[in-house]
């Protein structure tokens, strides 16, 4: 008789361990938990700690509990969607040349890790679909269409890739498509209106006009400016127009604090661990 409680305790402990590890796996993607939280969005993955736009950088972001990762998408010569920031491979790989002039087989042979450190030698340029398949349901994914005018049809290709995975449904903030090219964003929006899009803005000394915000709000759910443009007033105006904002290129803890104080909804940073747990301002 005395053994019975011990057996139950052991079973209870095993159940708790398994339940705990499952929560852990899903934690970053749990919308109920992130609902009012200022989101940590890993810029090109956790690119402060690992080579940008590689699986190593995305895995680091996941380990650091980032709610979302941001990545850049372009197209290879043979039409594959590849994750790469620059329009040439020169800076971040051991190869040379334009992404659009190299086939996927040529791109995948390149070392995309050694430029960052020897520890990451052999990291590959991932395909968009590999990242989606690995991280969907674990973290949200912000897909930036990088220089889409170089890649006619890239909007449709990204839309097809999402549709094939049933990632074209509304919601949950799991997938966002962003770009500095607003015409391309509009094209994507008309193909897949259920997937939210984000307007990227580079620094502009003139700020953002009401006319621009009105226009953006006709197709976008987010306005993501360079962090130097953000102040409380701009955040309030973006909110007033029914959109949210995830400023980017955040590299210092002080900047993160200032942005959170200004009321932003998320922070796109190469150091996702700097964001911490903060409730959004009402
Ligand atoms: O998320 C915004 C940001 O990624 C835009 O800048 O040059 O790092 O792609 P960039
Ligand atoms: Ca980007």
């Amino acid at each position: 008789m005395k053994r019975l409680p011990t057996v139950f305790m052991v079973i209870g402990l095993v159940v708790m361990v398994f339940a705990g590890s499952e929560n852990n796996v899903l934690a970053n993607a749990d919308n109920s938990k992130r609902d009012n939280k200022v989101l940590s969005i890993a810029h090109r993955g956790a690119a402060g700690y690992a080579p940008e736009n590689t699986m190593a950088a995305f895995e680091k972001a996941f380990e650091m509990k980032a709610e979302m990762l941001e990545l850049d998408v372009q197209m290879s010569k043979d039409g594959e969607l590849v994750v790469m920031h620059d329009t040439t491979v020169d800076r971040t790989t051991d190869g040379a040349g334009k992404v659009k002039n190299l086939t996927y087989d040529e791109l995948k042979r390149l070392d995309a890790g050694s430029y960052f450190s020897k520890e990451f030698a052999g990291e590959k340029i991932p395909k968009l679909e590999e990242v989606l398949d690995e991280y969907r349901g674990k973290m949200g994914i912000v897909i930036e269409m990088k220089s889409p005018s170089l890649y006619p049809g890239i909007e449709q290709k990204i839309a097809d890739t999402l549709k094939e995975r049933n990632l074209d449904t509304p919601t949950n903030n799991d997938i966002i498509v962003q770009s500095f090219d607003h015409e391309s964003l509009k094209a994507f929006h008309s193909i897949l209106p259920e997937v939210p899009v984000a307007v990227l803005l580079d620094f502009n000394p003139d700020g953002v006009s009401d006319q621009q915000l009105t226009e953006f709000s006709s197709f976008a759910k987010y306005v993501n400016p360079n962090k130097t443009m953000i102040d409380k007033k701009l955040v309030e105006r973006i909110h007033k127009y029914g959109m949210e904002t995830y400023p980017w290129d955040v590299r210092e803890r002080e900047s993160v604090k200032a942005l959170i104080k200004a009321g932003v909804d998320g922070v796109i940073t190469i150091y996702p661990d700097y964001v911490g747990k903060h409730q959004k301002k009402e």
Side-chain angles (χ1 to χ4, degrees), residues 43-44 70 72 85 144 146 178 180 200 248 268:
H43 194 177
R44 309 181 198 172
E70 188 265 357
D72 302 285
H85 180 272
E144 179 178 349
K146 183 59 83 186
Q178 67 174 2
F180 289 103
L200 279 171
W248 52 274
I268 301 180

Side-chain angles (χ1 to χ4, degrees), residues 75-217:
M75 205 156 36
S76 66
K77 187 177 175 183
D78 49 348
E80 296 292 342
L81 295 172
V82 290
V83 178
M84 184 80 187
H85 180 272
D86 296 5
T87 53
T88 72
V89 297
D90 303 21
R91 179 179 61 88
T92 57
T93 78
D94 56 348
K98 292 183 179 168
V99 174
K100 69 172 192 174
N101 292 340
L102 296 163
T103 63
Y104 173 64
D105 270 354
E106 288 167 328
L107 289 167
K108 85 170 181 215
R109 281 200 288 271
L110 301 178
D111 174 354
S114 293
Y115 88 94
F116 188 86
S117 91
K118 273 192 248 158
E119 183 198 338
F120 294 102
E123 277 298 319
K124 301 287 173 222
I125 296 172
K127 280 190 192 180
L128 173 63
E129 58 194 60
E130 288 172 51
V131 184
L132 292 175
D133 291 341
E134 181 60 34
Y135 291 103
R136 55 183 297 187
K138 293 185 185 174
M139 279 190 287
I141 303 175
V142 181
I143 300 169
E144 179 178 349
M145 299 189 287
K146 183 59 83 186
S147 307
S149 59
L150 295 176
Y151 309 105
I154 193 166
E155 299 84 0
Q156 184 67 54
K157 215 150 204 163
I158 292 174
D160 291 343
T161 306
L162 294 175
K163 276 199 272 190
E164 280 158 19
R165 290 165 176 75
N166 296 320
L167 291 172
D168 57 328
T169 49
T171 80
N172 56 41
N173 292 332
D174 273 350
I175 302 287
I176 296 171
V177 171
Q178 67 174 2
S179 188
F180 289 103
D181 184 329
H182 304 167
E183 290 312 308
S184 170
L185 273 185
K186 284 185 211 164
F188 178 84
H189 179 67
S190 62
I191 299 169
L192 268 195
E194 304 290 13
V195 172
V197 300
V199 167
L200 279 171
L201 296 177
D202 224 329
F203 176 73
N204 180 341
D206 298 332
V208 191
S209 68
D210 281 341
Q211 195 185 345
Q212 282 176 298
L213 289 175
T214 306
E215 211 240 313
F216 298 155
S217 67

